[in-house]
Amino acid sequence: MHDLHSFSWYAKQIKPHLPKGVFKPVPSRLFGGLAYVIVTIAAFLAIGLLDLHPILNLTLSVIIGFSFAGLGFLGHEILHGTVIRKPWLRDLLGAIAFFPLSTGPKLWRKWHNMIHHVHTQHEEKDPDAWPTLEKISKMKIFHWVYRLPLFVRSTFAFASLAVQFSMHSLKMFFTYVKDFKPKKQPVVWLQVLLPWAFWISLLFVMGLTNWLFAFFIPLLIANLIVMGYISTNHRLNPITPINDPLANSLTVTVPKWVDVLHFNFSYHTEHHLFPGMNPKYYPLVKEQIKKFWPERYHEMPLGEALLALWKTPRVYYKDNKLADPKYGKLYRSLGSGLDPKNIKFRRLKIRK
């Protein structure tokens, strides 16, 4: 692995080569969110008021699920302050965008902006980092889980993506709610409880079958889409003692029309270099990174990254390797020789 540098070090090198105005907010991104809201409401009304064939309802579920995910990506943008800067309006619009995923804006800014971005891939401080072998060896349940074959673990891990964002969000709420000042805690509670109260109340208004098509199935789809990206953001990269985005983050590539629908969420290394820049401008950042440090930059097609995740275990060993305790195998992480098309490993004795 190359010598590590902080994200501010890279940003300082790139910033003079970027056009003026790239750090200004881009309110026009809200039109995309408005389109998703209109589509979602229309699909809800169709499911709730029309007696449609289950296949048509399922089709609408998929459309709503894609809209939920798209709103989540926009909410991520908004709460970084790259769409609207005025705090109260930023949080209001962020709350609306994250409403389908039931994540409050104050919690998100605490967990994601202030903790994850500052301590990305830090073994102890990043709440989104995968555990080390040393850490899980102290957890009884993981002793059992890691006796299962890798194929079985991968199958369950990929199936869990359908609920993982929602579950992790709830975990982060209980992790950080006490960190807020007592006067602000009721607002944090309200921002989490209000969406869930609304969605559960909708069950009694629409009936179970319509509710499953209108909310539950779309929520699973949205989780899958969002976690399809999030699971590749860092989990193939090493644990790093210094927050170096070129070492610990991965940009995935998707068709251009997907980037439009998902607000350029695929540009993840760029996002960690400039979280205060609107993703509209990330292609310009990517050009500069590949110009200055092409050998350090990690990118691969999303499908290829997901396949690499499937083939490798999710436990770190000595920071830059992925360990499979059951078979005593060590897989290299990105930046230390991982070839996603031909996953390489070597067999070692691993102390359990």
Side-chain angles (χ1 to χ4, degrees):
M1 190 160 52
H2 297 283
D3 292 338
L4 300 176
H5 301 286
S6 68
F7 63 91
S8 59
W9 184 89
Y10 291 109
K12 186 177 180 180
Q13 315 302 313
I14 293 175
K15 195 172 180 179
H17 301 275
L18 296 172
K20 292 181 179 179
V22 294
F23 291 98
K24 292 181 179 179
V26 185
S28 60
R29 307 284 275 185
L30 294 173
F31 288 114
L34 179 61
Y36 278 130
V37 170
I38 291 171
V39 168
T40 298
I41 293 173
F44 263 70
L45 292 173
I47 292 172
L49 300 178
L50 304 177
D51 187 17
L52 300 175
H53 190 278
I55 293 178
L56 289 177
N57 278 337
L58 186 58
T59 302
L60 291 173
S61 292
V62 173
I63 292 171
I64 296 170
F66 272 77
S67 299
F68 280 3
L71 285 168
F73 294 136
L74 178 61
H76 170 252
E77 252 183 61
I78 291 171
L79 292 176
H80 270 292
T82 68
V83 178
I84 296 290
R85 289 275 166 82
K86 196 176 289 290
W88 72 267
L89 185 56
R90 175 203 65 204
D91 282 4
L92 174 62
L93 294 172
I96 293 171
F98 266 124
F99 200 85
L101 294 172
S102 301
T103 301
K106 289 191 179 298
L107 171 65
W108 179 260
R109 285 175 57 78
K110 170 73 174 179
W111 148 36
H112 180 78
N113 296 17
M114 298 171 63
I115 309 295
H116 169 67
H117 267 274
V118 175
H119 304 293
T120 308
Q121 285 296 85
H122 188 282
E123 179 182 344
E124 298 294 336
K125 297 178 181 179
D126 183 4
D128 298 339
W130 212 254
T132 61
L133 183 64
E134 183 181 12
K135 183 180 289 187
I136 68 156
S137 66
K138 300 173 184 177
M139 305 176 188
K140 291 183 179 180
I141 186 171
F142 283 102
H143 278 286
W144 179 82
V145 169
Y146 279 89
R147 290 193 186 103
L148 298 172
L150 179 59
F151 173 82
V152 176
R153 279 179 269 143
S154 295
T155 300
F156 278 100
F158 269 66
S160 75
L161 296 180
V163 297
Q164 208 171 104
F165 184 87
S166 296
M167 294 298 99
H168 191 58
S169 180
L170 285 173
K171 179 185 176 182
M172 291 300 96
F173 170 74
F174 289 109
T175 299
Y176 292 116
V177 66
K178 292 182 180 179
D179 288 357
F180 290 90
K181 294 179 180 179
K183 289 183 179 180
K184 292 186 177 181
Q185 285 185 20
V187 177
V188 180
W189 274 94
L190 181 65
Q191 289 179 354
V192 169
L193 293 176
L194 185 61
W196 282 112
F198 175 83
W199 297 121
I200 293 171
S201 298
L202 199 64
L203 166 62
F204 299 98
V205 175
M206 300 185 75
L208 177 60
T209 301
N210 286 342
W211 183 82
L212 291 173
F213 283 119
F215 174 68
F216 185 73
I217 295 174
L219 181 62
L220 298 180
I221 293 169
N223 267 266
L224 275 173
I225 295 170
V226 169
M227 289 306 303
Y229 283 102
I230 292 176
S231 63
T232 62
N233 288 165
H234 308 289
R235 293 181 185 178
L236 292 170
N237 297 80
I239 293 286
T240 55
I242 295 173
N243 187 1
D244 183 329
L246 268 66
N248 62 30
S249 302
L250 170 67
T251 286
V252 293
T253 55
V254 295
K256 181 62 180 176
W257 63 270
V258 176
D259 268 335
V260 172
L261 291 176
H262 295 165
F263 298 95
N264 277 0
F265 193 79
S266 63
Y267 291 83
H268 204 70
T269 301
E270 295 77 3
H271 174 59
H272 273 262
L273 277 180
F274 294 107
M277 177 191 291
N278 192 275
K280 173 183 177 179
Y281 301 112
Y282 285 161
L284 299 177
V285 177
K286 182 175 184 175
E287 288 178 11
Q288 295 301 321
I289 296 174
K290 297 182 83 168
K291 177 182 175 182
F292 281 94
W293 310 283
E295 75 287 353
R296 296 185 179 216
Y297 183 65
H298 299 303
E299 69 171 330
M300 67 177 76
L302 178 59
E304 193 175 296
L306 289 169
L307 183 60
L309 281 174
W310 178 276
K311 291 181 176 180
T312 53
R314 299 273 68 75
V315 180
Y316 285 101
Y317 180 74
K318 294 186 177 178
D319 294 348
N320 66 349
K321 296 178 182 66
L322 299 163
D324 189 340
K326 178 177 173 64
Y327 299 105
K329 293 178 181 178
L330 290 180
Y331 298 75
R332 299 171 184 267
S333 61
L334 289 174
S336 59
L338 174 66
D339 179 356
K341 292 182 179 177
N342 182 24
I343 300 295
K344 300 289 180 66
F345 68 88
R346 59 195 180 103
R347 193 178 296 272
L348 284 184
K349 273 191 175 181
I350 303 175
R351 290 184 179 180
K352 301 176 185 177

